[in-house]
Amino acid sequence: QVRVMESGGGSFQTGGSLRLSCTASGTDHPNYCIGWFRQTPSSGREGIANIFVRTNTEYYADSVKGRATISHNNREMTATLQIDNLQPEDAAMYYCAAHPTVSRTECSRRDYRYWGQGTRISISS
């Protein structure tokens, strides 16, 4: 059974950096994608970054491109998302998700199979 758990939420300042971790246990390593999504009460769920673990291929949405880095540690089976130069609009619930696949193109889907419970990020000036 696949379990996904995020950690690293909290309060951050504008211009600062955050670092979120995600552990996906029970996956068919390395045939899966790890995706980071975020959601606010007024917006739908936005996929902001993903990585295809088999090839370490990364993707970033325009909203975080140039400020975010996603990586995967194969030894620790942990994915990390760092976002620098935080802005007020980065405040949201952040979710990590895992999707089993042998195809990199699947990483762009929104309906990942396994989801964490989410971690809240707040931004103050």
Side-chain angles (χ1 to χ4, degrees):
Q1 184 175 354
V2 177
R3 286 191 64 194
V4 180
M5 291 183 62
E6 311 97 338
S7 62
S11 298
F12 301 86
Q13 290 195 322
T14 301
S17 299
L18 66 82
R19 192 175 177 89
L20 301 175
S21 294
C22 173
T23 301
S25 59
T27 58
D28 180 23
H29 181 80
N31 299 314
Y32 63 103
C33 306
I34 290 288
W36 283 98
F37 299 77
R38 65 187 183 188
Q39 187 168 11
T40 68
S42 60
S43 70
R45 186 172 292 175
E46 175 192 16
I48 58 172
N50 63 60
I51 187 166
F52 183 46
V53 176
R54 172 181 280 276
T55 60
N56 269 332
T57 306
E58 305 161 24
Y59 162 83
Y60 301 96
D62 288 343
S63 58
V64 299
K65 193 174 293 182
R67 300 189 297 126
T69 304
I70 187 171
S71 60
H72 187 270
N73 183 311
N74 287 334
R75 185 166 59 94
E76 298 178 0
M77 302 295 283
T78 300
T80 300
L81 175 70
Q82 178 163 327
I83 303 178
D84 301 318
N85 190 23
L86 290 168
Q87 301 299 308
E89 54 265 33
D90 292 320
M93 279 292 289
Y94 281 69
Y95 298 89
C96 178
H99 190 77
T101 181
V102 296
S103 172
R104 165 74 183 99
T105 59
E106 291 283 288
C107 295
S108 62
R109 60 193 300 161
R110 295 166 61 90
D111 58 338
Y112 276 42
R113 187 173 298 179
Y114 304 104
W115 291 80
Q117 292 194 334
T119 186
R120 185 172 299 280
I121 299 295
S122 60
I123 308 293
S124 60
S125 57

